[in-house]
Amino acid sequence: MKLSFSEPGLPKTGTVIVCVGDGSKLSASARQLDKATGGAVSRAIKESRFTGKKAQFLDIMAPSGVAFGRIVLAGIGKGLDENDQQALGGRLYARLNQAGIKAAHLAVEATGRDLAGAAANIAYGALLRSYRFDKYRTKEKADAKPTLKTFSLRVKGAAAARRAFGPLEKIADGVFFTRDLVSEPPNVLYPASFAKEVKALTKLGVKVEILGEKQMQKLGMGALLGVGQGSIRESQIAIMRWDGAAKSEKPVAFIGKGVTFDTGGISLKPGPGMQDMKWDMGGAGTVAGLMKALAGRKAKVNAVGLIGLVENMPDGNAQRPGDIVTTMSGQTIEIHNTDAEGRLVLADVLWYCQDRFKPQFMIDLATLTGAIIISLGHEYAGMFSNDDKLSDQLTKAGLATGEKVWRMPLHDAFDKKINTDGADMKNVAGRDGGSITAAQLLQRFVNKVPWAHLDIAGMAWSSSASPTMPRGGTGYGVRLLDRFVKENYEG
Ligand code: BES
Ligand code: MN
Ligand code: ZN
């Protein structure tokens, strides 16, 4: 789909979309069309339930007096905020394709004070919705494929709209990268092939370094290596650096869980639904997508992204329940359940990150616990943090982008639960507060650096579409963290 911005003025043919506010308040273009069609617009409204509410639409087919095949009325309620604008774009994209339309024009009017910004956000929403992971479909019929080839936004201040769209398009590139990574099957995306995908970011000016098992052994990363030892695929850590600010500025750091497939290991998961564990690398996918977005829009920040890439398999060489591993930090962990592997991977990557980069703060993302889905469903990521300022900044960025986070508690009382006799800690502590005890383990590896942990187990994948997302990999977190960086850490 080609998105374009031009000054107001309606075309002669194709599909034209005009805005209508609450109480069926016609925008200028809607009024103009009503006149040109001998009142077809107001008659159609009268004959329907359409009142101009947000997310309402009304199609008027083949009206006389004009050459358009179709007029679409788009409800905008009392006006649209940024998320509403994106949702409008996404909904229009889906509807226009459903209807088999090839070319559409939207008159951006009355959607808010900043019309150019609104147009950019509507286009952004349409773009986000247009994502498709169809590379493995060999038999899809042409009539099931999207039809919309051009979507033109008519707006006063088209040049400003085009400018505003520039960075949004780069963020979408990052979101799509994450969605691609999350969608790839685990026979294609494994630690080394994931690392190779990340290498491609060098084209955007990201510096990429890959650590293999030999280097990790030298560093003493016994926890991460223990998880990967049952897999024939070599574990990897990919380190991405985007230097967009002065050298003297400490980096901000993002860390991702990248379990390219989680069978549970010897504590094997039940069979049904196990295919979902291909997206247990969602946290790493988000970090990679975020780095792509930051580099793409040339963010004025120094950022590092570190992802721990492993495959958790049962095998003759696999880690056993009862094993004790020594982490890079020197702390020891007794394995009580090999399916609680994400925290083991993150323990070493978090420690390595603060040790090497001395970052301003660390934010990790992980599809860490099923328990967080029980707590928060698919609406909020769980956020755990040792820093109120960081939490507030993340909460705000979540509301602004619609990628919401909900703060969960950390407390000594939970921390104690992972103590054990045989080692410094065990990797699980029973079902109660399962997401919290997982976060407590991570906290033992952040060395008092300001830190937030986002448990995104409920967010990385969606079985239903939303306005700006088809179903499947969501790319959750890229927009959240891009906004968080932009609002708080850029010059
Ligand atoms: N990757 C899973 C968590 C998960 C579950 C993500 C469902 C997405 C959907 C994680 O490695 C895991 O297996 N966690 C266990 C921990 C338990 C053994 C303490 C869990 O949540 O059941
Ligand atoms: Mn697991
Ligand atoms: Zn896992």
Side-chain angles (χ1 to χ4, degrees):
M1 172 186 49
K2 200 174 154 299
L3 289 156
S4 64
F5 301 91
S6 47
E7 290 298 321
L10 291 177
K12 299 253 155 9
T13 57
T15 287
V16 56
I17 307 144
V18 292
C19 298
V20 178
D22 257 351
S24 302
K25 190 167 185 305
L26 302 188
S27 61
S29 294
R31 243 180 291 127
Q32 196 187 321
L33 289 182
D34 196 35
K35 249 202 207 131
T37 57
V41 170
S42 32
R43 272 203 313 282
I45 291 176
K46 224 181 256 157
E47 292 299 321
S48 78
R49 283 186 158 162
F50 181 90
T51 60
K53 271 209 199 83
K54 268 185 229 172
Q56 281 187 341
F57 297 91
L58 183 64
D59 288 21
I60 304 166
M61 307 295 292
S64 63
V66 290
F68 306 125
R70 179 190 302 243
I71 296 171
V72 180
L73 309 183
I76 56 165
K78 291 186 173 53
L80 305 178
D81 68 17
E82 187 186 331
N83 286 316
D84 294 335
Q85 290 159 3
Q86 293 167 15
L88 171 62
R91 288 196 174 103
L92 279 173
Y93 177 84
R95 287 180 64 87
L96 293 166
N97 274 303
Q98 195 102 49
I101 287 156
K102 293 194 189 73
H105 307 264
L106 168 65
V108 181
E109 290 169 335
T111 52
R113 230 170 287 146
D114 174 15
L115 285 181
N121 272 300
I122 293 167
Y124 182 42
L127 176 59
L128 287 169
R129 184 63 183 269
S130 73
Y131 176 81
R132 232 168 170 254
F133 188 80
D134 54 8
K135 64 195 275 199
Y136 298 109
R137 296 180 196 163
T138 67
K139 293 185 158 61
E140 188 172 38
K141 300 254 160 47
D143 64 3
K145 291 184 179 162
T147 54
L148 193 65
K149 293 283 175 296
T150 62
F151 188 19
S152 128
L153 294 112
R154 302 299 179 117
V155 62
K156 212 178 197 156
R162 213 172 292 127
R163 259 195 314 278
F165 183 63
L168 299 179
E169 202 174 15
K170 299 299 179 187
I171 301 168
D173 284 345
V175 172
F176 286 10
F177 186 38
T178 303
R179 289 180 184 172
D180 281 345
L181 290 166
V182 164
S183 303
E184 283 289 353
N187 57 331
V188 173
L189 197 83
Y190 48 88
S193 62
F194 193 144
K196 197 168 152 234
E197 292 292 322
V198 165
K199 267 263 175 201
L201 295 181
T202 47
K203 274 183 283 190
L204 296 176
V206 177
K207 291 180 198 120
V208 181
E209 224 180 296
I210 311 291
L211 306 183
E213 289 184 354
K214 255 212 192 99
Q215 288 149 296
M216 291 188 246
Q217 254 143 22
K218 255 200 209 131
L219 290 160
M221 295 182 165
L224 186 153
L225 287 167
V227 176
Q229 77 186 32
S231 169
I232 59 163
R233 311 287 197 183
E234 186 186 350
S235 300
Q236 314 261 279
I237 290 178
I239 301 160
M240 299 159 261
R241 298 170 63 174
W242 166 249
D243 297 322
K247 263 216 170 84
S248 57
E249 218 164 279
K250 280 203 209 167
V252 298
F254 301 95
I255 293 98
K257 167 180 171 180
V259 177
T260 59
F261 194 71
D262 182 12
T263 64
I266 296 300
S267 312
L268 194 63
K269 285 183 181 297
M274 204 199 276
Q275 66 280 1
D276 284 351
M277 286 300 110
K278 76 168 183 180
W279 48 261
D280 207 17
M281 37 53 68
T286 296
V287 171
L290 172 68
M291 295 304 289
K292 181 164 189 173
L294 293 175
R297 67 170 184 78
K298 301 202 172 359
K300 292 187 180 60
V301 67
N302 293 336
V304 295
L306 291 88
I307 57 181
L309 302 170
V310 301
E311 187 181 48
N312 189 19
M313 298 292 270
D315 167 87
N317 193 46
Q319 166 159 277
R320 292 151 291 255
D323 284 5
I324 294 177
V325 295
T326 302
T327 63
M328 181 186 172
S329 74
Q331 301 176 86
T332 55
I333 308 177
E334 187 168 55
I335 310 302
H336 282 205
N337 188 324
T338 63
D339 197 11
E341 84 296 341
R343 61 201 76 181
L344 299 169
V345 172
L346 290 174
D348 277 331
V349 183
L350 284 165
W351 186 267
Y352 175 78
C353 178
Q354 57 81 34
D355 182 60
R356 172 167 172 193
F357 293 107
K358 313 281 184 268
Q360 296 183 49
F361 58 78
M362 300 193 284
I363 296 177
D364 78 74
L365 296 103
T367 50
L368 203 64
T369 66
I372 203 68
I373 309 177
I374 306 300
S375 304
L376 300 174
H378 303 281
E379 289 302 320
Y380 290 82
M383 172 173 66
F384 301 81
S385 181
N386 60 3
D387 190 274
D388 292 343
K389 187 176 120 205
L390 207 52
S391 307
D392 288 347
Q393 291 170 342
L394 285 166
T395 300
K396 287 206 179 85
L399 292 173
T401 55
E403 295 194 329
K404 302 187 294 300
V405 301
W406 192 262
R407 193 172 183 182
M408 303 279 288
L410 290 165
H411 195 278
D412 268 351
F414 291 108
D415 180 72
K416 277 201 198 93
K417 286 171 176 268
I418 55 171
N419 289 337
T420 192
D421 292 339
D424 296 334
M425 68 195 91
K426 51 188 176 184
N427 75 329
V428 291
R431 283 162 51 85
D432 302 1
S435 306
I436 310 175
T437 48
Q440 295 288 169
L441 187 142
L442 299 182
Q443 192 176 16
R444 293 190 183 196
F445 295 87
V446 302
N447 210 8
K448 304 221 164 75
V449 172
W451 154 79
H453 155 58
L454 303 181
D455 193 335
I456 62 167
M459 309 307 289
W461 187 268
S462 178
S463 54
S464 56
S466 73
T468 56
M469 262 183 250
R471 63 173 182 264
T474 61
Y476 175 91
V478 174
R479 291 191 287 154
L480 164 74
L481 295 173
D482 175 82
R483 178 65 64 97
F484 159 80
V485 167
K486 177 161 178 273
E487 294 287 307
N488 305 293
Y489 297 94
E490 284 187 60

